[in-house]
Amino acid sequence: MNSNDFPKKYDYPTVEKKIAQYWEDNEIYKFKHGAGNDKIYAVDTPPPYVSSAHLHVGHVMSYSQAEFIIRYKRMKGFNIFYPMGFDDNGLPTERYVEKKYKINKSKITREDFIDLCLKETKAGIETYKSLWKSAGISADYGLSYSTIDERSRKTSQKSFLALYDKGLIEKRNEPILWCPKCRTSLAQADVLIEEFGGVLYDIEFNSMSGKSLIISTTRPELLGGCVAIYANPGDERYKSLKDVRIKIPLYDRDVPVKYDESVDINYGTGLMMVCTWGDASDVIKWKEDKLDTFMIVNGAGRLNELSGNYSGLNVKDAKKAIVSDLRELSLIKGEKPLVHHVGVHDRCETPIEFILAKQWFVKILEHKERFINAGNAMKWHPEFMKTRYDEWINNLKWDWNISRQRFYGVPFPVWYCSDCGEAIVADEASIPVDPVTNPPHIDKCPKCGGKEFKPETDVMDTWMTSSMTPFINTSWAYGRDADNGLFNKVYPMSLRPQAQEIIRTWLFYTVVKSIYHTDIVPFENIMISGWGLDKNGKKMSKSQGNFVDPENIIAKYSADALRYWASKAGLGQDLRFNEEDVVNGRRLLIKIWNAARFLITNVHRGFNPHEKNITEIKIGQVDKWIITELENTLKICETDMESYNYSSSLRTATDFFYNVYCDNYLEIIKNIFWEEDGKNDDRKNTVLNVMYFVSLNVLKIFAPFLPFITEELYLSFYKNFENDKSIHLSAWPEFDKGLVFDDSVKIVGILLNILDASRKLRTGLNLHQNHRASKLLIKTLNPDYIEVINEISGDIMSAARVRRIVFSDKADFKTGDDALFISIEK
RNA sequence: GGGCGGAUAGCUCAGCUGGUUAGAGCACCGGUUUUACAAGUCGGGGGUCACAGGUUCGAACCCUGUUCCGCCUACCA
């Protein structure tokens, strides 16, 4: 570009589109597989579940934050393995489709439903890709994966087969967590605890000997499922009940009394009704004490025939009916409102129930210690997030149930013998298979010789696939040598960036799988981002309607400006969205543009920044000072980036750029460019070289954050003198001790004190910005200053916009330096 | 119930292992437009660092307790 043509305004909508295209056309972010650079930095990209139109600026925030580090690593010379993932299988997508088309799984065929899911998935992927690209996310889109594609299905099924072989997966018939709305079983990680207002009913029971007993419960509708009454073994009141049976009100049934330490003497009357099953403690007691089983709630959340008169009612209506009947019999002796905590399905917020069912489980309870150790073997950023991981593992109560009674997911590679029920798992060569459409590889049941087989119709938990991302990415399912040994090169991966709410799912399950399959932790570093909050500090979400559309913000202020906002929160910190910060980002861009413009438009023909080394040209004190300040900045920025403290890095860079480089250095030197041609040519050339050196390095430390504008300036100007085809492939500027001139910093400190004071005086004198005052009077109490001031008098006059400097005792305005006073005469 | 994070200017936030007079941006007030930038620039006002104790020559920072906000976790049914 001809420097005279350099645009006055930064036209970011046009430029950002153009630059994004440049990156794509030139494969700037392509992973160089097999090209010799084995200094690999591998990222396990989060695959957010694909349902277009729920994306908000918070998503851009967390992706950007990880990407700041990734871009930095790229400039540090790493060969970046950065695939883009799209999570599109499983219940989240199904829920999205159900809502969008107002259907549910009982009113549509499996095939039609899957078709709709695939259609939405495809649309979702396009929306995501387009947003990530416009936000400048530097993934290698050629490495994209979707969790429903063939490679993912093969990987999940291979994992299933491998763990089945190791005895780490098994099918069991036991009480499981169940969502009556989605009609599927769930894992503990799919359940959230929510606060509910409820009522604690004191209900009168009678022992068979006629003794009246008051028992408190929040779930009278489960009376029909009551299988025992518990008391604390130390509770004197109830010791006599040993061997006594208790009659259940409304039902013609009686149950035993049992004792357990877990019963709180002070809660209610100290008696506890245990049912099949109201909560986890019921299940535990049922297992430990081998209680009877009276399952009165069915999979649809309705009471069944075992409940007698209440059969067919849903849980809520049954509660009303039973309470009303108990009232009529005067068996309700008390009602206390209380707040209690109920587990709900995280996708639909329906309270979960326990039902008995045959399900596939990945055993995890017996290996908790290994997972805790794995957590300790990875570096957490920020550190305190590891607590959540540890806490989750320590509190696990159930093995990981991976069966889902749904349609859209990866099928189990399993059939059952119609005669004896024996499970037949697929052979590895045939996966991925869908047992509903594919026959098994054998024609005879190995156990009973039966020739008929039924497919497993459940699908796997979506996390069964997502937990395999490091393996999907590296084609592990095709053998460890597949894809030129990619797995061995990339695994374990350098970085797992992700949001905090999926520590217990995506992260935990990935660790489980990785440990089981390889016995090696999957990541060196884990980076946990906070949430994007709305203006009022509430979490942004589609359902709350308080989300900000990133496309609009990018269109209005540019992607770089949005990324600037994203840099404001440190790791693990939530960040409020306020448009002011985006506006500030745009201001920074404009400032960068204009500072570059000053250099570019002053560069003469024949300018060559590499003719001599920066130290070999005749640099003055102010040049040495600005170079020193730059070096100190580079040092801090590098330290910050190395410790994932990107926020501080950008702040430091911005401070230097604004307050030191623009407001002071450029202000001090710019006057020389106003002189007639021919005058000061040497000095001009020196200053241009210094500006080139400083501004290019500043641009580089801005580059991870503001990839578009830095690239635009690089390509349109700096690249004329540099070799790299993108600033993002250029080398991160290393701190150079040889470019630190502490004496110059001291000397220029005097100048800056004078400049600062003179600005105050000029404001007081109402002087025009560029008015050249006639005299600057200086008084100094430090004789050493005189020589220094004489040496840099040209710069002082230039900076303070004065024609002459005079040492005079009349100077009476104290500067920031106690030994230095100045005055200005108009 | 247990735990984690936070509370600093009107607003959004910096403030390193304790060290002069606690910073920035926005907002507010005033000056200033041919000479990189008015989406600018220069200057100014504005804070009992949540509260109460303690340690120290010295505390926004360390310790103890309290309050409020957010979150994680939990078998008082």
Side-chain angles (χ1 to χ4, degrees):
Chain A
M1 171 178 312
N2 183 320
S3 58
N4 297 326
D5 295 342
F6 193 80
K8 198 169 161 62
K9 295 221 161 175
Y10 176 44
D11 175 15
Y12 49 80
T14 311
V15 168
E16 291 195 344
K17 269 197 200 87
K18 183 187 78 183
I19 293 295
Q21 195 60 46
Y22 177 83
W23 291 335
E24 207 164 327
D25 294 345
N26 291 278
E27 301 188 319
I28 299 299
Y29 305 125
K30 195 176 164 64
F31 173 61
K32 292 169 200 71
H33 187 29
N37 186 358
D38 283 345
K39 196 179 151 193
I40 291 170
Y41 189 85
V43 184
D44 194 26
T45 327
Y49 84 89
V50 166
S51 60
S52 45
H54 82 292
L55 283 165
H56 54 68
V57 289
H59 293 96
V60 174
M61 175 190 114
S62 55
Y63 274 73
S64 301
Q65 292 177 348
E67 218 248 350
F68 298 153
I69 301 299
I70 295 162
R71 283 185 180 272
Y72 165 74
K73 294 287 180 184
R74 188 180 288 115
M75 293 174 79
K76 289 290 280 185
F78 284 93
N79 184 7
I80 305 289
F81 181 81
Y82 185 16
M84 181 51 74
F86 302 98
D87 188 5
D88 41 26
N89 92 50
L91 199 43
T93 307
E94 291 197 44
R95 286 284 304 151
Y96 174 75
V97 167
E98 283 181 345
K99 271 191 187 164
K100 177 160 178 177
Y101 294 94
K102 299 193 169 54
I103 50 176
N104 72 57
K105 79 168 193 180
S106 61
K107 294 187 185 126
I108 185 168
T109 67
R110 183 184 170 105
E111 288 69 31
D112 289 348
F113 194 83
I114 290 174
D115 279 350
L116 277 180
C117 290
L118 286 169
K119 182 182 150 201
E120 285 303 317
T121 292
K122 220 174 150 192
I125 287 180
E126 287 317 307
T127 307
Y128 269 71
K129 263 196 188 166
S130 129
L131 176 65
W132 295 145
K133 285 183 182 177
S134 64
I137 302 299
S138 64
D140 179 350
Y141 294 90
L143 298 175
S144 297
Y145 66 92
S146 121
T147 54
I148 197 68
D149 66 20
E150 173 161 332
R151 182 172 53 161
S152 293
R153 281 181 283 128
K154 187 177 171 80
T155 308
S156 316
Q157 292 192 343
K158 178 169 170 177
S159 171
F160 176 90
L161 296 180
L163 298 187
Y164 182 77
D165 274 352
K166 292 185 185 195
L168 289 165
I169 283 185
E170 64 183 19
K171 191 158 198 181
R172 298 201 296 253
N173 187 30
E174 64 177 42
I176 42 103
L177 299 159
W178 179 265
C179 174
K181 180 165 179 185
C182 300
R183 309 244 183 135
T184 181
S185 60
L186 299 171
Q188 188 176 343
D190 304 315
V191 177
L192 296 177
I193 306 289
E194 265 185 25
E195 262 190 14
F196 278 82
V199 179
L200 184 63
Y201 297 96
D202 292 338
I203 298 172
E204 183 174 354
F205 284 53
N206 285 288
S207 72
M208 295 303 272
S209 55
K211 191 179 173 196
S212 160
L213 296 165
I214 307 296
I215 296 173
S216 302
T217 179
T218 55
R219 300 202 62 183
E221 71 273 21
L222 293 181
L223 269 180
C226 179
V227 288
I229 301 298
Y230 273 75
N232 189 295
D235 195 332
E236 297 296 335
R237 295 171 292 178
Y238 305 119
K239 279 195 167 158
S240 60
L241 291 178
K242 198 165 180 254
D243 303 324
V244 171
R245 290 186 73 89
I246 312 286
K247 207 176 149 306
I248 306 171
L250 303 177
Y251 288 90
D252 185 23
R253 215 152 56 73
D254 54 85
V255 297
V257 175
K258 303 247 175 191
Y259 297 90
D260 194 280
E261 292 288 351
S262 70
V263 179
D264 184 345
I265 294 176
N266 300 316
Y267 190 89
T269 57
L271 286 176
M272 179 191 221
M273 169 175 104
V274 170
C275 308
T276 311
W277 299 278
D279 59 27
S281 72
D282 286 354
V283 174
I284 289 166
K285 291 189 175 59
W286 174 83
K287 271 190 184 169
E288 283 174 356
D289 294 347
K290 305 206 164 40
L291 301 175
D292 286 343
T293 308
F294 272 87
M295 207 163 73
I296 62 161
V297 178
N298 69 16
R302 291 179 184 277
L303 271 58
N304 61 22
E305 52 286 355
L306 281 178
S307 72
N309 296 333
Y310 309 99
S311 179
L313 295 178
N314 68 33
V315 169
K316 223 171 159 184
D317 293 338
K319 179 182 283 184
K320 276 188 206 152
I322 288 182
V323 167
S324 150
D325 289 351
L326 288 169
R327 254 193 214 120
E328 240 164 70
L329 297 171
S330 300
L331 293 175
I332 296 208
K333 301 297 180 189
E335 296 180 42
K336 277 183 232 108
L338 87 170
V339 173
H340 62 153
H341 298 88
V342 177
V344 300
H345 183 196
D346 65 344
R347 302 291 173 183
C348 70
E349 279 150 17
T350 307
I352 55 114
E353 299 287 346
F354 285 87
I355 68 168
L356 189 68
K358 272 194 160 178
Q359 306 275 300
W360 289 100
F361 292 89
V362 175
K363 292 186 194 169
I364 50 177
L365 294 180
E366 54 199 79
H367 295 283
K368 284 187 182 188
E369 198 63 32
R370 289 171 80 188
F371 307 137
I372 295 278
N373 291 341
N376 291 332
M378 299 181 281
K379 278 179 235 142
W380 293 72
H381 312 276
E383 183 107 45
F384 67 76
M385 283 291 178
K386 190 168 85 71
T387 311
R388 299 195 180 183
Y389 173 87
D390 291 342
E391 228 172 17
W392 177 251
I393 293 173
N394 288 328
N395 285 314
L396 277 170
K397 285 194 294 283
W398 323 109
D399 276 335
W400 177 16
N401 178 353
I402 53 170
S403 294
R404 296 291 178 275
Q405 290 67 48
R406 299 293 305 189
F407 296 150
Y408 186 60
V410 177
F412 284 89
V414 175
W415 300 259
Y416 301 99
C417 172
S418 300
D419 293 339
C420 71
E422 175 75 355
I424 315 290
V425 300
D427 70 333
E428 205 182 308
S430 65
I431 56 173
V433 294
D434 182 352
V436 173
T437 51
N438 303 117
H441 58 288
I442 52 171
D443 45 23
K444 207 165 75 175
C445 171
K447 196 171 169 192
C448 75
K451 293 196 170 160
E452 297 286 315
F453 302 97
K454 281 187 292 199
E456 169 66 84
T457 53
D458 285 358
V459 295
M460 294 188 205
D461 179 9
T462 185
W463 296 109
M464 190 65 184
T465 309
S466 303
S467 60
M468 296 301 289
T469 49
F471 299 85
I472 294 170
N473 280 320
T474 52
S475 301
W476 165 86
Y478 298 87
R480 283 200 175 206
D481 297 328
D483 213 348
N484 273 324
L486 185 62
F487 179 80
N488 293 321
K489 279 189 189 170
V490 168
Y491 186 94
M493 300 179 101
S494 319
L495 179 67
R496 155 61 72 87
Q498 65 162 75
Q500 52 189 315
E501 71 270 24
I502 49 176
I503 289 175
R504 65 188 198 164
T505 49
W506 192 35
L507 182 56
F508 171 65
Y509 288 141
T510 308
V511 172
V512 168
K513 291 294 198 75
S514 301
I515 292 298
Y516 282 172
H517 288 302
T518 71
D519 217 12
I520 297 170
V521 294
F523 312 113
E524 285 160 33
N525 295 284
I526 295 163
M527 180 171 165
I528 308 285
S529 58
W531 283 329
L533 306 178
D534 70 9
K535 244 190 144 133
N536 306 313
K538 290 267 171 280
K539 191 186 171 191
M540 241 181 237
S541 79
K542 175 92 194 282
S543 55
Q544 297 290 311
N546 62 346
F547 76 123
V548 178
D549 179 0
E551 297 279 11
N552 290 342
I553 299 298
I554 290 173
K556 198 165 167 193
Y557 300 106
S558 80
D560 282 343
L562 182 57
R563 293 167 63 100
Y564 174 89
W565 163 74
S567 81
K568 287 282 165 188
L571 277 179
Q573 278 182 359
D574 297 343
L575 179 62
R576 289 183 192 212
F577 182 78
N578 68 17
E579 214 155 313
E580 278 303 325
D581 276 330
V582 186
V583 172
N584 281 339
R586 186 178 60 178
R587 286 206 173 99
L588 174 60
L589 302 182
I590 293 166
K591 193 79 178 172
I592 291 171
W593 186 261
N594 284 311
R597 192 165 169 271
F598 179 64
L599 165 65
I600 293 167
T601 54
N602 278 300
V603 162
H604 47 82
R605 229 176 316 167
F607 170 72
N608 178 4
H610 299 306
E611 194 170 62
K612 286 181 180 168
N613 193 289
I614 192 78
T615 49
E616 289 164 350
I617 56 177
K618 227 181 104 191
I619 49 175
Q621 298 292 2
V622 285
D623 306 321
K624 287 183 177 171
W625 158 74
I626 193 67
I627 290 168
T628 306
E629 294 283 4
L630 169 74
E631 291 301 324
N632 291 336
T633 303
L634 296 181
K635 194 175 179 183
I636 295 169
C637 288
E638 167 140 0
T639 308
D640 283 341
M641 292 307 269
E642 284 296 327
S643 53
Y644 293 75
N645 205 351
Y646 51 81
S647 195
S648 166
S649 179
L650 179 57
R651 200 180 316 114
T652 303
T654 306
D655 279 356
F656 167 78
F657 173 71
Y658 257 98
N659 305 328
V660 184
Y661 181 66
C662 290
D663 291 350
N664 289 329
Y665 183 73
L666 293 186
E667 288 300 320
I668 292 166
I669 57 88
K670 76 181 185 188
N671 293 13
I672 60 167
F673 293 95
W674 303 352
E675 304 286 349
E676 306 279 308
D677 271 354
K679 259 186 158 179
N680 290 327
D681 274 357
D682 277 359
R683 179 70 189 134
K684 275 186 202 171
N685 193 49
T686 300
V687 166
L688 287 171
N689 271 277
V690 172
M691 281 198 283
Y692 182 94
F693 177 78
V694 173
S695 65
L696 176 57
N697 282 327
V698 174
L699 222 51
K700 286 185 176 191
I701 50 179
F702 278 147
F705 304 96
L706 314 172
F708 290 99
I709 192 170
T710 51
E711 185 78 312
E712 169 67 5
L713 291 172
Y714 178 81
L715 294 178
S716 59
F717 175 66
Y718 298 88
K719 192 170 173 296
N720 295 328
F721 315 99
E722 307 289 329
N723 295 323
D724 302 298
K725 66 178 176 180
S726 162
I727 192 169
H728 303 296
L729 298 177
S730 73
W732 177 265
E734 300 294 332
F735 169 71
D736 182 349
K737 214 173 148 191
L739 294 179
V740 171
F741 308 98
D742 287 329
D743 285 352
S744 300
V745 172
K746 265 190 208 140
I747 290 168
V748 175
I750 295 170
L751 188 162
L752 293 175
N753 275 322
I754 293 172
L755 175 57
D756 185 56
S758 82
R759 280 170 173 165
K760 287 176 187 162
L761 288 175
R762 292 175 66 98
T763 296
L765 291 167
N766 277 356
L767 293 184
H768 285 218
Q769 235 159 288
N770 292 314
H771 173 83
R772 290 223 133 183
S774 62
K775 255 191 256 176
L776 172 68
L777 309 182
I778 299 179
K779 176 173 84 178
T780 173
L781 308 176
N782 184 340
D784 296 344
Y785 282 10
I786 293 173
E787 193 186 335
V788 173
I789 290 168
N790 279 330
E791 186 193 344
I792 57 172
S793 61
D795 289 323
I796 294 175
M797 288 190 288
S798 172
R801 309 271 194 275
V802 296
R803 293 182 197 285
R804 267 198 313 145
I805 292 178
V806 179
F807 286 100
S808 161
D809 284 345
K810 280 194 233 160
D812 59 357
F813 186 79
K814 199 173 135 210
T815 68
D817 184 332
D818 288 347
L820 202 52
F821 297 80
I822 69 164
S823 290
I824 284 180
E825 287 182 11
K826 285 190 190 176

